[in-house]
Amino acid sequence: SNYAALFTMLASSSARSFALLQRVGFPACGLQTAAAATERSTWFGHVPEAPKDPILGITEKFLADNSPEKMNLGVGAYRDDQGRPVVLPSVREAERRVAGSHFMEYLPIGGLKDFVTESVKLAYGDNAEPVRQGHVAAVQSLSGTGSCRLMAEFQARFMPGSKVYIPNPTWSNHHNIWKDARVAEGIYRYYKPATRGLDLEGFLEDIHKAPSGSVFLLHACAHNPTGVDPTAEQWRQISRLMLEKGHFPFFDMAYQGFASGDCDHDAQAIRIFLADGHRLGCSQSYAKNMGLYGQRVGAFSIVCDNPAEAKAVESQMKMVARPMYSNPPLHGALLVSKILHDKDLKAQWFQEVKGMADRIISMRSLLRKSLEDLGSHWTWNHITDQIGMFAYSGMTAEMCDILASKYSIYMTRNGRISMAGVTTHNVGRLAAAIHDVTKGAKQ
């Protein structure tokens, strides 16, 4: 080690120093070892530091702020009216029943069978024809991110040359997922800033222009980040045109039940597309609607033409998953399957997820009323027109910066408010701060 230290100090500076070390009697083996160590020390010197994730960066700033009134409206995780994390009573009961009842053996690559079966029924409907006839290929996944990643890789392997069309805007990780799978990406119009609503005309035009056989990534409900969802009739228009153009719809459903409080209503887009005869894919996550954020439990499914095709597709799903993570985790899947399989627990969960959705909806109404009572010249109906975890406020990046620096209120710089962080205790202060930064500005 002394040889290596001296070598690093001298030999790296010039060839003459290397020769000097040889003349004064340094063993050749020591020089070779030191040289190899020096080469190895530069293997990753060219690697730049990655940019910080914008959401995690907000949390870091929030944690560093000493204000007792600080607010974190960036992270998409549910909080109660006291601002505390929540574990649903149905989940606690499922934990009690599951504790000590299973070994800790590996799951199969496709995951826990009961979990997958119940997830498919929750997404498509208990009596949906593809479910009854065995046309659905499905595996357990690592929550919504994992499901999307499996779909992206599946597309790369078995839909070669197809592009994925992603809405503008969308959850930022969607771009990363399909980019890492080396799938070409297109963008379709979704949000219209002038109306703070859906750009249906642009959406339909981009569906029509896309090459036939394209994959369209669709948010099933509670669009992230805008909170803007198509109506049932608008979904029917979208479905008919996509069917006509021969596109493949892939639904990312991260908020089933959490948006409206009704799991069937939140799955209406998928049910409409199924009724129209689409073959489609779906990503499910239980992070938001069961509060299982850290358990990383979800499902990935594809509706096929017949049972034989479903069997083949599912086998390839497993082959995609195998080199990524081998098999999914057990505990979260046990909790979900216990809740969905037990009639009473499932009914209890339905009420609890409705309670979370109702609290978010009530905070939207209270925030809008507070802003209007302050005499804001902006219109705020979009806050209550939107649905789900997030409200797309229409504030600029500069306004969001002032909210952080002046009021210790932290959110993403696109003006997205995580409504889960709004409570009856802080909504008045939030409204006053928003009123201050928007006062005099053009909407």
Side-chain angles (χ1 to χ4, degrees):
S1 60
N2 290 335
Y3 292 154
L6 188 56
F7 179 87
T8 302
M9 182 174 64
L10 296 176
S12 63
S13 61
S14 71
R16 263 192 316 182
S17 298
F18 190 92
L20 176 62
L21 288 169
Q22 287 181 308
R23 284 200 301 272
V24 298
F26 274 71
C29 62
L31 292 172
Q32 291 165 357
T33 301
T38 302
E39 286 182 10
R40 284 197 299 274
S41 71
T42 64
W43 280 354
F44 303 113
H46 65 287
V47 178
E49 184 176 350
K52 288 185 177 180
D53 182 280
I55 305 296
L56 300 182
I58 290 168
T59 300
E60 288 178 4
K61 292 176 182 177
F62 170 80
L63 293 174
D65 191 325
N66 294 320
S67 170
E69 295 184 307
K70 63 184 179 180
M71 298 170 63
N72 187 350
L73 304 181
V75 178
Y78 183 76
R79 298 290 183 263
D80 66 13
D81 197 48
Q82 305 301 316
R84 300 170 302 199
V86 172
V87 178
L88 299 179
S90 59
V91 171
R92 285 295 190 214
E93 175 59 21
E95 278 192 312
R96 187 189 67 78
R97 297 185 191 183
V98 163
S101 64
H102 288 73
F103 292 109
M104 302 298 174
E105 297 293 303
Y106 292 124
L107 283 175
I109 300 172
L112 188 68
K113 185 177 180 181
D114 284 349
F115 164 82
V116 174
T117 299
E118 293 300 323
S119 294
V120 166
K121 290 193 292 185
L122 186 68
Y124 300 111
D126 288 352
N127 297 312
E129 185 175 341
V131 176
R132 288 188 290 103
Q133 295 187 353
H135 293 186
V136 182
V139 295
Q140 183 183 334
S141 66
L142 305 185
S143 202
T145 301
S147 295
C148 288
R149 185 65 181 86
L150 291 176
M151 175 60 202
E153 189 63 36
F154 187 89
Q155 180 182 351
R157 294 188 189 187
F158 299 105
M159 306 171 79
S162 66
K163 291 177 71 170
V164 63
Y165 281 81
I166 295 177
N168 179 31
T170 193
W171 178 49
S172 60
N173 211 24
H174 281 146
H175 301 290
N176 301 329
I177 290 166
W178 267 267
K179 179 182 177 181
D180 275 9
R182 294 174 173 81
V183 173
E185 178 186 315
I187 298 295
Y188 66 87
R189 284 168 285 178
Y190 187 87
Y191 178 75
K192 198 169 190 175
T195 62
R196 289 170 177 77
L198 183 69
D199 184 359
L200 182 62
E201 183 180 345
F203 193 167
L204 294 174
E205 187 177 329
D206 289 341
I207 291 172
H208 184 75
K209 287 181 177 178
S212 295
S214 297
V215 174
F216 270 75
L217 171 65
L218 305 168
H219 295 230
C221 61
H223 181 274
N224 179 7
T226 69
V228 174
D229 286 353
T231 64
E233 181 51 40
Q234 288 170 335
W235 275 124
R236 291 186 182 96
Q237 288 181 257
I238 293 162
S239 171
R240 287 194 294 267
L241 183 56
M242 288 189 64
L243 196 62
E244 178 186 317
K245 287 289 297 180
H247 298 319
F248 184 85
F250 179 71
F251 287 93
D252 187 357
M253 186 160 60
Y255 298 95
Q256 187 180 9
F258 193 94
S260 70
D262 183 329
C263 286
D264 287 328
H265 181 274
D266 290 348
Q268 69 171 341
I270 293 174
R271 314 283 172 84
I272 287 168
F273 275 62
L274 276 183
D276 284 347
H278 281 276
R279 298 298 172 259
L280 56 84
C282 180
S283 161
Q284 291 171 265
S285 167
Y286 292 96
K288 306 297 193 300
N289 57 12
M290 285 193 184
L292 298 175
Y293 303 97
Q295 296 297 336
R296 310 313 295 147
V297 58
F300 166 43
S301 58
I302 292 178
V303 176
C304 303
D305 283 325
N306 53 62
E309 183 178 288
K311 182 179 179 182
V313 167
E314 188 172 302
S315 73
Q316 293 295 346
M317 289 175 165
K318 294 172 184 176
M319 290 302 98
V320 170
R322 174 64 168 153
M324 284 188 184
Y325 54 83
S326 195
N327 41 36
L330 172 64
H331 187 67
L334 286 173
L335 299 180
V336 175
S337 60
K338 183 67 68 176
I339 290 169
L340 295 182
H341 201 66
D342 183 280
K343 182 180 177 181
D344 293 335
L345 263 187
K346 188 176 183 180
Q348 180 182 341
W349 171 64
F350 280 154
Q351 289 301 310
E352 290 166 358
V353 74
K354 185 178 187 305
M356 289 192 290
D358 286 349
R359 194 188 88 74
I360 296 294
I361 291 168
S362 70
M363 288 302 100
R364 288 180 176 278
S365 298
L366 192 52
L367 177 58
R368 176 183 173 180
K369 182 178 185 303
S370 299
L371 285 162
E372 291 172 346
D373 288 349
L374 287 167
S376 174
H377 71 283
W378 281 29
T379 57
W380 294 101
N381 59 291
H382 58 284
I383 297 292
T384 50
D385 290 342
Q386 296 165 7
I387 195 168
M389 179 79 78
F390 303 110
Y392 218 46
S393 67
M395 289 186 290
T396 65
E398 292 73 19
M399 291 173 182
C400 296
D401 292 341
I402 295 171
L403 286 176
S405 61
K406 186 176 180 180
Y407 293 101
S408 297
I409 297 172
Y410 296 90
M411 64 182 70
T412 53
R413 296 183 78 241
N414 59 3
R416 188 195 77 168
I417 299 171
S418 175
M419 294 303 300
V422 183
T423 70
T424 55
H425 309 286
N426 64 22
V427 67
R429 182 171 177 271
L430 172 62
I434 291 174
H435 179 51
D436 181 51
V437 301
T438 58
K439 190 165 47 182
K442 184 178 179 181
Q443 189 171 22

